[in-house]
Amino acid sequence: MGTVTSVVGRLGLTDIGPVVGSTTLAEFPARAVVGEYIPISAVVFREGHDAVAASVVLRDPTGRKAQTVRMTPGAPGTDRWHAAVSADRQGAWSFSVEAWSDPLSTWEHAVTTKIAAGQGADDLANDLEDGARLFDSLAKLLPKTERPRASAAAKALRDTTLDVEHRVAGALDPFLQSLAHEHPVRELVTASPRYPLWIDRPRALYGSWYEFFPRSIGAQLAGDPAAPARPLRHGTFKDATEHLDYVAKMGFDVVYLPPIHPIGEVNRKGPNNTLVAQSWDVGSPWAIGSRDGGHDAIHPELGTMKEFQAFVKRANKLGMEVALDFALQAAPDHPWVEAHPEWFTTKPDGTIAYAENPPKKYQDIYPINFDNDPTGLYAECLRVIRHWIAAGVTIFRVDNPHTKPINFWQWLIGEVRKSDPDVLFLAEAFTRPAMMHELAKVGFHQSYTYFTWRTSKDELAEYATELVESAPYMRPNFFVNTPDILHSYLVHGGPAAFAIRAVLAATLSPTWGVYSGFELYEHQNLREGSEEYLDSEKYQLRPRDFAGAEADGRSLAPLLTRLNEIRRAHPALQQLRDFTLHTVDSPEILAFSKRDPATGDTIIVVCTVNPAEWREATIFLDLPALGLPLDSSFVVRDLLDGSEFHWSQANYVRLDPAIRPAHVLHVQAM
């Protein structure tokens, strides 16, 4: 998060945030979603000892003042002031901070101090008249029904027949002071510029994703013992549509599909990324394009556009949105290669360069070159996106956006936002932090993260804190696994490792995701040290017996279902910004809390990171962060199994990864 260093004015006004960009310029809008609590802060001060105050002015997309919220002082001695605002609809909002001298507070402090010191009416004559004039001014600012209170206070201050205590009593009345707080007399107002805010729909921040390959759903034995080389039939959208009930039952909000387009036949990869494919091998969905079409077409074996739209309609009816992969690359036989060779990179020998990430080679994929014909290529990309929006897609998971120009994404997302502001983009960019953060700043609504590789207590604590600090522009999506990433923690950790990662992803981040097979504890990698799955679904069909595994108790689906139920019921887990780490006297138990500022809903999560052995510890809670007094004793209810505990500041826990790897505790109303 950035701040603007200084606003030059009558009063000191510095370090205003959130501002996304440099220290002197808001280069990009800060981000939030409808209804989200947006913390605003600034440092406010002035010369001398007179009181200062500050307000946040929030303006809606029309430029109209939507809220004016008085700020509250932070830690003593810091001069930092805070407020929270929220927007009630999408669009381009803005905020500014106004610092001002607070003459009523200055007057009140001076008068009460002097009276306590024994000064009488003669000594306070000027102070009393100053106060009367201030309450005359206040009367003009109050609602008509309350103006007589301020006028009466001014009149009493001028009444020399009363003693000093009675002359000031009306001015110091708590109710009148609360009115003065709501309708302040302001002097020497110093206003900042207006800083941009972009407000998205709530799904940009909160959701549960489930990824599956439609071609594997319904894949089954062909029934021909004479053809063992190709024992499976290709799944279709009709099969995938039937599978949606299974996904919805687990409580997921978003169904994410890898590319559904025709797959290239030239240089097609075989099982486990082998270079030679047999005639029956299905290839990688990311090798997009063949004689059957390109990015705007559907693989013939999956079905038709009408059947895809039926899939989308069924998902929507079940309360889920459909996210589609947007991978800007092409198979050698993609129609673009012949029609627009300028969209690719030609090597000195005249051949087109295929994709490489040394030592990996992707002979079945040609990367796009954005420099030769940006006008034509940009227009085609926008056309493809709008083609799928028209088919019902509302979210795009963008493959490897860090390998394309940043200004292209800023342009594309900006164009889509103009016509379809509900459409969201997720950046799949496991790359350098600077690039990941810049992609978020230029418009991506969500970002893949390093969560998959953060497995220790300290790594998780540090990374979660970093993401909270980036909340004004970067929203994380914690996938527990992907078709490309099978972490060694899952390879060697057993079923408990899967449960631990699910709990952490679902509670640390407001958006999380699961790649199909995670709930079945799939953990066999290609070779020791590799993050590739053995018999990866990227290159072949992978049928699964979901129902049988659940019936036999070999599925994590019940836990995933419960986690999604908890997330849906508790707004504390639907937000990112209000996050607190708590002290634990064990290096393998992580404790943190989330609290929804609007409702006070509070969740405490205590989770082991050791999937092999039980651990015990004492949790030392930061009670003020939970909205509780330091001497509090209260009840917490474990939302995973319904058990209740009486907790206070220090609490004993024992976690057995095979039985109870975590507590997800709801703080009960006191």
Side-chain angles (χ1 to χ4, degrees):
M1 182 181 77
T3 58
V4 168
T5 299
S6 181
V7 174
V8 178
R10 176 62 182 81
L11 302 182
L13 181 55
T14 68
D15 293 336
I16 301 167
V19 176
V20 180
S22 67
T23 57
T24 58
L25 179 67
E27 298 171 288
F28 307 103
R31 312 271 277 285
V33 300
V34 173
E36 182 184 3
Y37 141 80
I38 310 169
I40 311 293
S41 66
V43 170
V44 178
F45 56 94
R46 66 166 299 174
E47 80 289 347
H49 302 287
D50 286 359
V52 293
S55 301
V56 176
V57 178
L58 182 68
R59 296 181 183 271
D60 67 18
T62 69
R64 181 184 62 85
K65 285 186 179 182
Q67 293 181 40
T68 299
V69 179
R70 185 159 176 173
M71 304 180 81
T72 57
T78 65
D79 292 321
R80 183 163 290 281
W81 293 68
H82 302 271
V85 296
S86 64
D88 60 6
R89 60 188 182 279
Q90 294 172 235
W93 292 62
S94 64
F95 77 93
S96 59
V97 174
E98 295 178 344
W100 35 278
S101 177
D102 183 359
L104 268 175
S105 293
T106 300
W107 176 85
E108 176 191 345
H109 175 74
V111 165
T112 55
T113 301
K114 291 178 180 180
I115 291 175
Q119 294 188 23
D122 292 339
D123 298 315
L124 295 173
N126 287 318
D127 297 275
L128 297 172
E129 178 57 27
D130 285 340
R133 294 179 182 184
L134 286 172
F135 280 92
D136 286 337
S137 298
L138 176 63
K140 298 174 183 179
L141 301 173
L142 295 179
K144 288 184 179 180
T145 56
E146 304 297 347
R147 289 176 185 173
R149 289 180 179 271
S151 297
K155 182 178 180 181
L157 287 167
R158 292 188 172 106
D159 189 346
T160 57
T161 65
L162 301 174
D163 58 37
V164 169
E165 286 75 12
H166 286 88
R167 290 176 70 175
V168 301
L172 301 180
D173 174 68
F175 183 72
L176 184 56
Q177 287 184 325
S178 68
L179 289 173
H181 189 272
E182 294 175 12
H183 307 275
V185 176
R186 306 195 309 166
E187 296 178 348
L188 307 179
V189 176
T190 299
S192 77
R194 286 162 58 176
Y195 301 111
L197 290 170
W198 182 264
I199 307 300
D200 291 304
R201 63 188 179 101
R203 182 64 70 230
L205 174 65
Y206 161 74
S208 303
W209 290 48
Y210 187 88
E211 175 183 3
F212 72 87
F213 287 63
R215 70 185 189 180
S216 287
I217 304 300
Q220 59 188 13
L221 291 175
D224 181 2
R230 191 189 182 192
L232 302 175
R233 78 164 177 86
H234 199 288
T236 68
F237 281 131
K238 290 182 179 179
D239 300 315
T241 301
E242 294 178 3
H243 188 60
L244 287 173
D245 289 273
Y246 166 79
V247 179
K249 181 183 175 183
M250 290 188 288
F252 288 96
D253 308 301
V254 178
V255 174
Y256 158 47
L257 305 183
I260 58 174
H261 316 301
I263 296 172
E265 297 179 11
V266 176
N267 297 334
R268 177 175 287 191
K269 294 296 186 70
N272 293 311
N273 201 23
T274 54
L275 295 179
V276 179
Q278 303 298 323
S279 61
W280 55 80
D281 286 327
V282 292
S284 168
W286 283 273
I288 298 170
S290 73
R291 62 178 179 270
D292 294 313
H295 283 71
D296 56 358
I298 289 176
H299 193 294
E301 291 195 71
L302 285 174
T304 65
M305 176 60 80
K306 184 177 181 180
E307 288 166 338
F308 173 72
Q309 290 174 316
F311 172 87
V312 174
K313 184 177 181 180
R314 177 61 179 165
N316 295 162
K317 186 175 181 179
L318 291 169
M320 298 183 292
E321 298 185 49
V322 173
L324 184 63
D325 204 280
F326 184 53
L328 282 178
Q329 56 209 31
D333 41 338
H334 192 297
W336 285 349
V337 176
E338 182 176 348
H340 294 282
E342 70 277 11
W343 291 355
F344 304 91
T345 298
T346 302
K347 296 190 289 188
D349 64 2
T351 61
I352 294 177
Y354 57 75
E356 293 186 78
N357 183 15
K360 294 182 180 180
K361 294 183 178 182
Y362 304 93
Q363 296 90 338
D364 55 340
I365 292 173
Y366 286 168
I368 304 297
N369 186 320
F370 282 79
D371 296 324
N372 295 336
D373 177 27
T375 300
L377 184 57
Y378 281 31
E380 174 67 355
C381 292
L382 181 58
R383 183 192 71 80
V384 168
I385 287 287
R386 286 180 170 160
H387 171 81
W388 293 108
I389 292 173
V393 175
T394 53
I395 305 175
F396 293 91
R397 178 269 199 189
V398 177
D399 189 63
N400 289 323
H402 57 289
T403 63
K404 286 80 179 174
I406 292 175
N407 59 351
F408 163 73
W409 294 120
Q410 185 174 23
W411 174 85
L412 180 70
I413 296 173
E415 289 299 305
V416 172
R417 180 181 287 161
K418 292 176 185 177
S419 57
D420 298 277
D422 282 349
V423 171
L424 307 177
F425 289 83
L426 165 63
E428 185 260 354
F430 300 111
T431 185
R432 299 180 306 280
M435 174 61 81
M436 293 174 68
H437 285 260
E438 196 70 9
L439 288 168
K441 290 176 183 178
V442 303
F444 276 93
H445 301 82
Q446 291 183 8
S447 305
Y448 275 45
T449 69
Y450 302 139
F451 169 73
T452 315
W453 297 278
R454 302 296 186 263
T455 58
S456 74
K457 170 187 173 178
D458 290 344
E459 288 172 339
L460 288 162
E462 180 181 359
Y463 193 51
T465 302
E466 176 188 327
L467 290 174
V468 171
E469 292 172 352
S470 303
Y473 61 87
M474 187 175 184
R475 304 184 186 107
N477 189 326
F478 277 14
F479 262 83
V480 288
N481 65 329
T482 78
D484 295 298
I485 306 171
L486 172 63
H487 194 274
S488 60
Y489 187 89
L490 299 178
V491 173
H492 302 291
F498 285 75
I500 289 167
R501 296 303 286 177
V503 169
L504 290 171
T507 56
L508 278 169
S509 175
T511 295
W512 77 304
V514 172
Y515 159 53
S516 183
F518 179 87
E519 70 269 40
L520 304 184
Y521 307 110
E522 291 181 0
H523 66 280
Q524 290 184 311
N525 56 353
L526 183 62
R527 68 183 68 87
E528 184 60 34
S530 171
E531 291 187 343
E532 290 279 356
Y533 282 87
L534 178 66
D535 299 328
S536 171
E537 196 170 4
K538 293 189 297 180
Y539 306 106
Q540 62 191 77
L541 305 180
R542 192 176 181 115
R544 299 177 173 96
D545 183 9
F546 297 103
E550 190 165 358
D552 295 342
R554 295 179 290 105
S555 172
L556 197 63
L559 176 62
L560 305 188
T561 303
R562 184 59 190 142
L563 288 171
N564 283 332
E565 289 172 347
I566 293 169
R567 286 162 48 81
R568 193 163 288 166
H570 289 277
L573 297 177
Q574 299 172 19
Q575 57 84 40
L576 176 64
R577 302 174 195 261
D578 201 313
F579 169 85
T580 302
L581 288 166
H582 298 275
T583 302
V584 186
D585 62 0
S586 166
E588 293 184 317
I589 292 181
L590 177 70
F592 61 90
S593 64
K594 288 193 166 187
R595 187 168 190 266
D596 178 54
T599 64
D601 179 53
T602 304
I603 298 292
I604 303 170
V605 178
V606 183
C607 188
T608 182
V609 297
N610 185 328
E613 301 174 306
W614 66 267
R615 290 289 182 264
E616 59 184 356
T618 300
I619 314 297
F620 299 93
L621 294 176
D622 180 348
L623 292 177
L626 303 179
L628 299 171
L630 288 174
D631 59 351
S632 294
S633 177
F634 52 96
V635 175
V636 292
R637 181 172 182 268
D638 193 330
L639 300 175
L640 293 176
D641 63 11
S643 56
E644 292 190 350
F645 307 94
H646 289 273
W647 273 29
S648 56
Q649 188 173 35
N651 310 278
Y652 169 80
V653 297
R654 185 183 190 277
L655 298 176
D656 185 334
I659 301 171
R660 188 204 295 268
H663 292 295
V664 179
L665 303 168
H666 180 224
V667 178
Q668 305 295 287
M670 294 182 64

